[in-house]
Amino acid sequence: MKLFITGISTDVGKTITSAIVVEALEADYWKPVQAGDLDNSDSHKVKNLLSCHTEGSRSAKSQFYPNAYKLNTPASPHLAAEIDGITIDLKQIKEPKTDNHLVIEGAGGIFVPLNEKDSIIDLIQPDYKVIVVSRHYLGSINHTLLTIEAIRNRGLEVAGIIFSGSENKSTESLILNKTGIKCIGRIDEEPYFDQNVIKEYADLFRDNLLEL
């Protein structure tokens, strides 16, 4: 499977979700565009959250592919690229070839711009299964439904949703009923995330992920 992890906004839990999915499926990981925090990028964070990362170990099966674009400024990719004096070109973003499951992490929401014409949604290929990460806040129902509708309007598949943060049963139930999307699981408001916590969630989510 090729699983594209997107969120309804920034800082909703995409990287934690990506780590859980990589751990659960022993998948490979790729973040096409990284903007800012290059010394502690999302790729670094996911790698460090895997339960074991010694050579020859189980999770050493997971390959981490380099970003197509590494931008210095923590900002929207189009702006970060402009500050770096470059323009992001979709033709230069080439999916790595692997026989393993591949987890692809987006940046921000699906309409975060990459350049004057293209947005994150333009990275999603027809054979990708999209997982939407939703987090409850005022306005999150609207953002979640708009995200799902926009993805579907492109003829792309939303394979499942993961809720992140404090539980809101009313909100979650309404979103699931309106969209008919499978709930893969929910990530609670944990005091911290480390390898053990990620592994616990991976064990909880694995069966639902394998059914996508």
Side-chain angles (χ1 to χ4, degrees):
M1 289 186 290
K2 299 173 185 178
L3 299 169
F4 191 96
I5 312 295
T6 192
I8 63 170
S9 183
T10 190
D11 294 328
V12 296
K14 292 188 305 297
T15 301
I16 292 297
T17 296
S18 296
I20 291 168
V21 177
V22 168
E23 176 77 23
L25 300 178
E26 300 181 11
D28 293 351
Y29 173 87
W30 180 46
K31 174 127 182 172
V33 179
Q34 174 71 40
D37 208 11
L38 297 183
D39 292 331
N40 186 32
S41 68
D42 291 340
S43 298
H44 289 100
K45 292 171 185 173
V46 172
K47 185 180 293 187
N48 290 335
L49 285 169
L50 294 187
S51 64
C52 186
H53 205 67
T54 55
E55 193 63 33
S57 70
R58 181 192 63 75
S59 57
K61 295 177 182 178
S62 298
Q63 299 296 313
F64 285 74
Y65 298 100
N67 311 116
Y69 285 93
K70 297 169 71 173
L71 308 169
N72 289 292
T73 306
S76 175
H78 81 291
L79 176 60
E82 181 181 326
I83 292 171
D84 284 357
I86 62 174
T87 299
I88 293 175
D89 181 357
L90 280 190
K91 294 178 182 177
Q92 300 303 314
I93 301 179
K94 298 179 180 179
E95 176 193 309
K97 302 303 179 186
T98 177
D99 293 328
N100 195 8
H101 300 302
L102 179 64
V103 172
I104 306 120
E105 182 180 352
I110 57 169
F111 284 124
V112 165
L114 297 171
N115 51 46
E116 290 188 358
K117 183 182 71 171
D118 303 308
S119 301
I120 291 295
I121 195 170
D122 296 301
L123 295 175
I124 304 175
Q125 301 301 311
D127 61 336
Y128 290 2
K129 297 177 184 290
V130 182
I131 294 176
V132 173
V133 182
S134 179
R135 185 179 183 88
H136 177 71
Y137 54 81
L138 188 62
S140 65
I141 294 175
N142 184 52
H143 291 167
T144 304
L145 297 180
L146 283 172
T147 296
I148 292 166
E149 182 169 323
I151 295 168
R152 286 174 164 173
N153 283 344
R154 293 285 187 99
L156 301 166
E157 178 186 0
V158 181
I161 189 167
I162 289 176
F163 293 105
S164 169
S166 300
E167 184 177 19
N168 188 299
K169 291 182 179 179
S170 175
T171 293
E172 294 171 18
S173 176
L174 185 145
I175 289 169
L176 294 174
N177 288 335
K178 276 186 170 291
T179 63
I181 289 175
K182 176 187 181 72
C183 179
I184 296 168
R186 68 172 341 279
I187 304 167
D188 293 326
E189 196 74 69
E190 301 287 352
Y192 60 86
F193 286 95
D194 62 8
Q195 295 174 352
N196 290 329
V197 175
I198 293 298
K199 188 175 187 305
E200 288 176 5
Y201 277 105
D203 291 341
L204 288 173
F205 289 10
R206 184 173 294 109
D207 288 346
N208 282 339
L209 289 166
L210 289 171
E211 291 173 358
L212 298 180

